[in-house]
Amino acid sequence: GQLTKTKLWTDYGADQTINQNLQIKWFQSVALPYYAIVDTNGNVLRSFVGMTRNEHEFKNFLDLDIVTN
C-alpha cells in the first residue's frame, strides 16, 4: 500500500471549524497532534494521539504491513 500525506489544520485557517468537526466525528478527540491512517473508503485503520520522540514507535505506527496483515 501507499500513503498519501494530508494535513487538516484544526487550530487555524479557513477550514479550521470543518476540520475540528471532522476530527471529533472520527476520533471523539480534539487532541493535537493527532495522526491517523484512513483507507480510501474513509475507514480509520489506526491512529496515534500526541507526539513521540521515539522514532521506532512512530515508524511502527506508519508500517502498513502491520495495518493490513
Side-chain angles (χ1 to χ4, degrees):
Q2 183 177 348
L3 296 176
T4 301
K5 182 178 175 181
T6 304
K7 294 180 183 181
L8 299 177
W9 297 101
T10 61
D11 53 346
Y12 71 92
D15 295 326
Q16 171 182 344
T17 302
I18 293 168
N19 294 339
Q20 284 174 349
N21 290 334
L22 180 63
Q23 183 176 350
I24 291 168
K25 177 182 174 183
W26 276 2
F27 310 112
Q28 296 76 50
S29 174
V30 292
L32 293 175
Y34 201 103
Y35 301 94
I37 297 176
V38 181
D39 70 13
T40 56
N41 295 317
N43 300 307
V44 178
L45 302 178
R46 62 184 357 187
S47 60
F48 189 95
V49 180
M51 63 168 281
T52 181
R53 297 195 189 284
N54 182 323
E55 182 178 333
H56 180 73
E57 181 181 20
F58 198 72
K59 280 185 177 180
N60 281 343
F61 161 71
L62 295 174
D63 188 345
L64 288 180
D65 288 332
I66 294 172
V67 173
T68 57
N69 291 328

